[in-house]
Amino acid sequence: MDGNFGLVHKTSSGVGHGQLASRHKNLFFEDQENVKEFLSHYGIDKKSNTSECSNFQAGNVIRSKIKTKKLDITGVFGSVCKHDIPVMMLDMTHGERLGYPAYILKKVLQNHTSNLVVMYDIACTLHRHLKKTMDSDVLRQCTFSVPVFHSFAHNVTCQLEYGQRFTSATGLTDGEGIERLWSYLRGFNKITKEMSINNRQDLLTDALLHHTFKAIHNLGMQKSKCN
């Protein structure tokens, strides 16, 4: 999971016919009203910050209050599976608040019964936060881990507890699949910020579908090479 602050939307571009007019509906993007309602009732831990083990700004409460009047969407928060296939996307209207990954976790776990490894730049902070805000059943289903390339920005204690290389059952998965997706989607940011809400969502969904089909094709190619 991770947030991308490049995929913004200008307020001046208008909403068009709205998110519900998107021809792809909520194939990847969650209904914005549901996200807003969840965040409005979701408590913010004022002591939550990453200064204990890293300098990442993700999840920082002060940053989460920053909202420019020129943007009605400040970015996209998303998740992918270990095969780099997109799972769920949320339009952000704040900074990278911990409520966004919490929302995705609650939605994914509704249809996911087996143990889930959650890889996030500040998985350590998210884990501590969820211990205070979510029920133990959810936490029992999740193992939290910091992706391999981001773990070096955390202190040694945090690396030993949350580093991907020390997380069982993750093998050589680097946890950076979402970064590869962002690298691909950044090519669309100059045009999507000028579109109406529904056209923006359709274009990004088309891009996500292309990325998905490509990832599935690559999986097949890798399997055939192994055989």
Side-chain angles (χ1 to χ4, degrees):
M1 296 192 291
D2 190 29
N4 183 330
F5 288 96
L7 295 171
V8 302
H9 181 261
K10 290 183 177 179
T11 305
S12 60
S13 297
V15 297
H17 296 291
Q19 187 184 32
L20 295 178
S22 168
R23 56 188 169 84
H24 288 300
K25 303 303 179 184
N26 298 323
L27 184 60
F28 287 111
F29 282 85
E30 280 292 296
D31 188 313
Q32 192 63 14
E33 292 304 315
N34 292 339
V35 177
K36 286 182 179 179
E37 183 179 0
F38 177 83
L39 291 176
S40 67
H41 294 92
Y42 191 80
I44 298 178
D45 183 2
K46 295 183 179 180
K47 295 182 180 179
S48 177
N49 60 70
T50 58
S51 60
E52 296 178 22
C53 62
S54 74
N55 292 320
F56 288 124
Q57 292 296 308
N60 188 282
V61 175
I62 296 176
R63 184 189 185 197
S64 72
K65 294 179 180 178
I66 299 174
K67 183 180 179 182
T68 173
K69 293 181 180 179
K70 294 183 179 180
L71 303 175
D72 53 5
I73 295 177
T74 57
V76 173
F77 193 92
S79 61
V80 299
C81 73
K82 67 177 181 179
H83 302 298
D84 293 3
I85 296 174
V87 175
M88 189 179 298
M89 300 287 148
L90 312 176
D91 281 327
M92 294 189 291
T93 54
H94 308 83
E96 195 170 332
R97 285 169 50 173
L98 294 174
Y100 292 114
Y103 179 92
I104 288 181
L105 276 181
K106 287 182 72 71
K107 292 288 289 186
V108 170
L109 289 174
Q110 288 177 1
N111 301 308
H112 199 287
T113 56
S114 59
N115 291 334
L116 189 70
V117 177
V118 180
M119 292 192 176
Y120 184 32
D121 299 354
I122 53 167
C124 49
T125 301
L126 177 62
H127 189 205
R128 289 192 296 268
H129 174 73
L130 293 179
K131 285 181 179 179
K132 302 176 183 178
T133 59
M134 300 188 79
D135 59 83
S136 57
D137 289 337
V138 173
L139 292 172
R140 274 197 294 269
Q141 286 183 261
C142 297
T143 299
F144 294 85
S145 179
V146 176
V148 62
F149 297 122
H150 285 82
S151 64
F152 296 105
H154 295 250
N155 63 36
V156 175
T157 302
C158 182
Q159 289 183 41
L160 292 173
E161 184 175 358
Y162 293 99
Q164 183 275 326
R165 290 294 185 255
F166 299 97
T167 304
S168 62
T170 59
L172 293 177
T173 300
D174 60 18
E176 302 289 353
I178 190 69
E179 299 293 348
R180 288 185 281 273
L181 176 61
W182 293 152
S183 178
Y184 165 64
L185 289 181
R186 283 190 185 98
F188 298 94
N189 63 354
K190 290 184 179 180
I191 53 177
T192 54
K193 67 182 179 182
E194 306 286 354
M195 291 178 160
S196 63
I197 292 290
N198 56 300
N199 287 335
R200 170 184 176 273
Q201 182 169 314
D202 278 334
L203 178 56
L204 290 177
T205 301
D206 283 336
L208 290 167
L209 284 170
H210 175 74
H211 182 85
T212 298
F213 295 146
K214 186 176 179 180
I216 293 173
H217 174 74
N218 289 340
L219 279 175
M221 294 295 291
Q222 291 172 11
K223 186 175 181 180
S224 64
K225 289 180 180 179
C226 293
N227 294 333

